[in-house]
Amino acid sequence: MFDIQEIRSQFSILDRDVNGKPLVYLDNAATSQKPNSVLDVCHAYYTELNANVHRGIHTLSQLATEEMELSRRKIQKFINAEHDFEVIFTKGTTEGLNLIAYILTQKLQKDDEIIISYLEHHSNIVPWQMLCERTGAKLRVIPIDENGILQMDHFDRFLSEKTKVVSVNQVSNALGIVNPIEEIIAKTRKNTDAYIVIDGAQSAPHFNIDVQKMNCDFFVFSGHKMYAPMGTGILYGKREILEALPPFHGGGEMIATCSFEGTTYAGLPFKYEAGTPNVGGNIALGAAVDFMNRVGHAHIQNHENALLEYAQRQLLELEGIKIYGEKAKRTGVVSFNLEGVGIASDVGMILDKMGIAVRTGHHCTQPIMNFFNIAGTVRASFAVYNTFEEIDILVEGVKKAQRMLS
Ligand SMILES: Cc1ncc(COP(=O)(O)O)c(C=O)c1O
């Protein structure tokens, strides 16, 4: 049974007012709200368990370690990784992508190629540009058509023995477009021995993830976009690949032995977890996974798809609205502009006065905005706790903005 009111009752923040109106929170692609079960785990960690992990002989340290490692196993199950040590705690997708781009430095040389797409977040562009600067490799970018859909014939032509990395998102944060990663992965495997990196920042909150079935080499996502605290995230990497590649940060936790003559590195996952981790946050990420499992993936997906379909239908009934990626397969996001209203932030400010939280601007995807020749969009993005009534309020807000700004 999917009971939306019962789900909403688990998110205290949804009861608050903003600017004298009940909060309508539609900025979930930026970060989701956190259920009370996750907040309780954070509170309990600091009131009952706080200690540094892995190095302690004392009881609290051992309990904290056990809880964090239990959380790692929950996440292993959540993404169906073969081993728990393939699950590396990070502070988010950005850190995960930078880590991968850094540790691949020795594997690339001049004129090798890295394929990304036009739909990438800046954090899946800039680390690769930096890798190109370090190595002399070149970026190739899969273009999009006017619907925002990847032009796969270009991808086919890009693939060659020069391709060393293919890194794409499963779902675009700016437009919500679901990319054909099964096809991308299958073709990459067939034609190259490139590393395959999937940015799952916008898919992990919505989809059932199975990294073994997906057959990617790396999969990264952010906890804070899927009901967990800020500063949490996961890098999944295949065992043999992580074992063969060098570490990223050096420091405590990641060594086996350290002397001035030389250092040897710890095994997985600690080799990639230098320094004190975000123990409370990492444990709470496990609680966020528990929350999603309790609601059920099918319910999450069905409800969010229904919200998207409803929002798109209602918005398209208005005149003078342009939805980007309207005809593409999408999830969780509707990104739009009002004709004759050049500045998305004006719309966002009017909506904010009505208690409606949306994001406006380039969404860290300036190439997409350049492609459509716009400065930004208004983006409403959904989570499992959003309602059809909230979409009605959004549509009323957009009508009001149209009246005020035209
Ligand atoms: C597709 C995508 N990739 C990467 C990121 C970066 O995530 P974070 O800021 O949590 O590191 C985001 C955040 O919006 C995103 O949507």
Side-chain angles (χ1 to χ4, degrees):
M1 253 289 282
F2 181 74
D3 179 349
I4 185 73
Q5 289 313 327
E6 195 279 323
I7 287 173
R8 286 180 72 80
S9 72
Q10 299 180 46
F11 291 80
S12 300
I13 198 170
L14 298 178
D15 291 337
R16 71 159 287 172
D17 287 352
V18 168
N19 295 322
K21 301 279 181 357
L23 168 65
V24 174
Y25 187 79
L26 298 174
D27 194 17
N28 295 287
T31 197
S32 70
Q33 299 302 341
K34 326 300 174 200
N36 295 335
S37 56
V38 168
L39 301 179
D40 289 347
V41 165
C42 294
H43 189 258
Y45 171 75
Y46 283 107
T47 49
E48 292 168 30
L49 217 59
N50 180 47
N52 212 331
V53 283
H54 295 137
R55 291 179 293 256
I57 190 72
H58 65 81
T59 303
L60 278 194
S61 173
Q62 287 179 12
L63 289 174
T65 304
E66 272 168 30
E67 287 294 318
M68 197 173 96
E69 293 309 314
L70 174 65
S71 176
R72 197 190 303 275
R73 290 194 293 280
K74 286 180 187 173
I75 297 153
Q76 174 201 354
K77 245 178 128 183
F78 178 71
I79 59 171
N80 194 31
E82 191 178 354
H83 306 287
D84 58 357
F85 50 76
E86 294 174 319
V87 173
I88 313 289
F89 287 115
T90 66
K91 66 185 168 71
T93 307
T94 305
E95 187 180 51
L97 290 167
N98 276 277
L99 185 159
I100 299 164
Y102 179 84
I103 65 177
L104 290 179
T105 304
Q106 298 305 325
K107 296 285 176 187
L108 273 82
Q109 53 193 21
K110 195 167 173 311
D111 297 330
D112 282 344
E113 293 181 352
I114 299 167
I115 302 179
I116 60 170
S117 90
Y118 234 86
L119 290 182
E120 303 311 318
H121 187 280
H122 294 163
S123 67
N124 199 24
I125 301 174
V126 184
W128 303 116
Q129 289 174 326
M130 291 161 70
L131 177 58
C132 288
E133 278 171 24
R134 287 197 295 278
T135 60
K138 293 193 174 62
L139 262 195
R140 311 221 63 177
V141 184
I142 311 167
I144 48 177
D145 66 15
E146 69 283 2
N147 292 308
I149 297 170
L150 296 187
Q151 297 193 5
M152 291 298 286
D153 51 327
H154 287 255
F155 175 67
D156 294 345
R157 285 202 292 279
F158 288 168
L159 282 175
S160 78
E161 74 283 356
K162 288 186 181 169
T163 311
K164 291 294 178 294
V165 180
V166 174
S167 185
V168 291
N169 64 41
Q170 190 169 9
V171 175
S172 141
N173 65 304
L175 308 181
I177 291 178
V178 181
N179 288 316
I181 60 156
E182 298 78 9
E183 183 184 345
I184 290 174
I185 292 171
K187 286 180 168 168
T188 305
R189 288 272 180 251
K190 183 154 180 260
N191 296 295
T192 76
D193 56 3
Y195 294 98
I196 300 174
V197 183
I198 301 297
D199 172 352
Q202 299 294 341
S203 57
H206 306 294
F207 294 164
N208 206 353
I209 303 297
D210 184 334
V211 290
Q212 293 189 72
K213 193 159 157 226
M214 202 182 273
N215 195 17
C216 56
D217 296 315
F218 298 100
F219 185 89
V220 285
F221 58 100
S222 299
H224 71 93
K225 294 180 195 290
M226 44 167 277
Y227 312 104
M230 294 283 191
T232 60
I234 294 296
L235 158 70
Y236 156 82
K238 270 191 184 157
R239 172 191 194 155
E240 55 278 16
I241 291 176
L242 289 179
E243 280 178 348
L245 288 169
F248 178 41
H249 289 152
E253 291 281 313
M254 54 76 73
I255 59 111
T257 63
C258 177
S259 73
F260 291 119
E261 286 67 48
T263 291
T264 57
Y265 303 127
L268 297 174
F270 308 114
K271 174 177 157 186
Y272 290 106
E273 291 183 352
T276 298
N278 177 2
V279 181
N282 293 344
I283 295 172
L285 177 49
V289 165
D290 290 339
F291 165 77
M292 291 178 75
N293 288 339
R294 277 198 304 277
V295 177
H297 276 286
H299 284 141
I300 293 173
Q301 234 168 297
N302 290 342
H303 181 63
E304 290 172 346
N305 284 344
L307 289 172
L308 175 59
E309 213 175 285
Y310 183 70
Q312 174 141 320
R313 202 159 9 98
Q314 299 297 310
L315 286 170
L316 283 175
E317 281 186 9
L318 309 182
E319 269 177 30
I321 195 157
K322 159 96 181 144
I323 295 182
Y324 300 92
E326 182 196 325
K327 299 207 163 56
K329 180 178 175 202
R330 303 207 317 283
T331 192
V333 168
V334 58
S335 206
F336 61 93
N337 272 323
L338 304 180
E339 266 163 25
V341 180
I343 307 177
S345 58
D346 289 347
V347 179
M349 276 190 285
I350 292 170
L351 294 177
D352 180 54
K353 291 278 174 289
M354 300 172 70
I356 306 165
V358 293
R359 186 140 297 238
T360 61
H362 57 63
H363 318 297
C364 294
T365 57
Q366 283 186 355
I368 302 179
M369 303 301 131
N370 294 342
F371 176 84
F372 287 110
N373 201 19
I374 51 177
T377 71
V378 182
R379 181 185 73 180
S381 52
F382 311 118
V384 71
Y385 43 67
N386 288 124
T387 64
F388 296 97
E389 293 74 26
E390 288 182 311
I391 300 215
D392 292 338
I393 297 170
L394 169 72
V395 174
E396 283 312 307
V398 173
K399 280 189 201 162
K400 184 172 174 185
Q402 267 181 327
R403 283 196 302 275
M404 288 175 71
L405 296 169
S406 54

